[in-house]
Amino acid sequence: SQKIEQNSEALNIQEGKTATLTCNYTNYSPAYLQWYRQDPGRGPVFLLLIRENEKEKRKERLKVTFDTTLKQSLFHITASQPADSATYLCALPGNQFYFGTGTSLTVIP
Amino acid sequence: DSGVTQTPKHLITATGQRVTLRCSPRSGDLSVYWYQQSLDQGLQFLIQYYNGEERAKGNILERFSAQQFPDLHSELNLSSLELGDSALYFCASSPQRLAGHNEQFFGPGTRLTVL
């Protein structure tokens, strides 16, 4: 089994700043870790996948790090925009598939 | 549009009843996943099927069952419904057998309300 913790409190940041979201897991280190975006009432949308042997992965304004020693992944959105406002979920495979409870991000214009 | 379809979009029923939720995966995807999302629980993995066979099981109640048919569509059956079963039910699909090795494509969900 796996327990995942994400920032439980909502994150509010000013447009143009960098948002940093945290995902901590407690048990075994998975071979992969994924990040998804979810808008209210809609299904999650895949953003990035990072492998255990990759320290960092980038896609446009998104950056993910994966530290298996700390059992932590950080998700960064640079030059944030109001359209980035959503809930962000991290997910880990195991004998099943585990999602964190998500962090709600609001980017203020 | 993810390419995953789910029907119905909304379902309102009474306690004790039985309902069936339907999912059609993206063309070519062999894996189908079912998730339940309620306000206090987050997104909970229920079950995964790969090419017609059960591949992984999560915290799925015994009152719930699922199957994947030869044409790869899947159905989730919920019986003896309780108030606490009210939630959003998502289906997702992916090309491969192992969860986590590639992205999952989520459908729009079915909102179930049990009165």
Side-chain angles (χ1 to χ4, degrees):
Chain A
S1 154
Q2 185 70 274
K3 186 177 178 186
I4 304 173
E5 293 178 352
Q6 295 188 247
N7 315 59
S8 57
E9 293 184 13
L11 183 62
N12 298 322
I13 64 166
Q14 212 62 38
E15 182 175 5
K17 300 291 186 184
T18 296
T20 298
L21 285 63
T22 304
C23 173
N24 295 297
Y25 56 94
T26 56
N27 294 334
Y28 59 87
S29 278
Y32 305 83
L33 186 146
Q34 299 181 6
W35 283 89
Y36 287 78
R37 168 189 173 135
Q38 187 174 27
D39 292 285
R42 307 192 67 150
V45 175
F46 172 82
L47 296 174
L48 280 167
L49 179 153
I50 187 166
R51 293 174 173 76
E52 62 179 340
N53 61 351
E54 296 176 317
K55 296 300 180 189
E56 181 179 298
K57 196 85 168 276
R58 290 176 186 262
K59 180 183 175 183
E60 298 172 355
R61 294 184 296 109
L62 309 180
K63 185 179 87 171
V64 171
T65 63
F66 192 9
D67 189 326
T68 56
T69 302
L70 293 179
K71 296 189 175 180
Q72 180 180 82
S73 175
L74 298 179
F75 177 81
H76 307 270
I77 306 175
T78 57
S80 59
Q81 303 167 1
D84 296 327
S85 299
T87 296
Y88 292 86
L89 307 166
C90 70
L92 288 73
N95 56 345
Q96 52 169 286
F97 205 67
Y98 301 93
F99 274 88
T101 51
T103 298
S104 175
L105 172 67
T106 300
V107 181
I108 303 163
Chain B
D1 184 358
S2 67
V4 178
T5 60
Q6 290 188 247
T7 56
K9 280 190 177 179
H10 302 276
L11 200 46
I12 301 175
T13 188
T15 55
Q17 295 298 305
R18 173 189 167 94
V19 296
T20 297
L21 313 183
R22 183 188 167 101
C23 168
S24 291
R26 286 188 331 152
S27 177
D29 283 357
L30 299 179
S31 273
V32 168
Y33 310 79
W34 284 98
Y35 294 88
Q36 178 192 59
Q37 187 172 42
S38 52
L39 283 174
D40 58 344
Q41 289 284 331
L43 198 60
Q44 298 290 317
F45 172 84
L46 296 177
I47 198 163
Q48 177 200 355
Y49 279 84
Y50 175 78
N51 203 20
E53 295 195 2
E54 184 183 302
R55 168 72 181 84
K57 210 166 186 176
N59 300 323
I60 186 168
L61 299 172
E62 284 192 11
R63 300 183 286 108
F64 295 2
S65 65
Q67 57 183 326
Q68 187 180 27
F69 295 87
D71 67 353
L72 301 178
H73 91 271
S74 178
E75 292 181 356
L76 179 67
N77 301 296
L78 315 176
S79 61
S80 303
L81 286 167
E82 301 176 359
L83 295 177
D85 297 328
S86 296
L88 260 173
Y89 290 84
F90 288 107
C91 166
S93 74
S94 71
Q96 296 183 10
R97 182 174 63 89
L98 294 176
H101 285 219
N102 47 254
E103 62 184 287
Q104 294 180 34
F105 296 86
F106 280 78
T110 294
R111 182 172 294 281
L112 173 67
T113 303
V114 182
L115 301 174

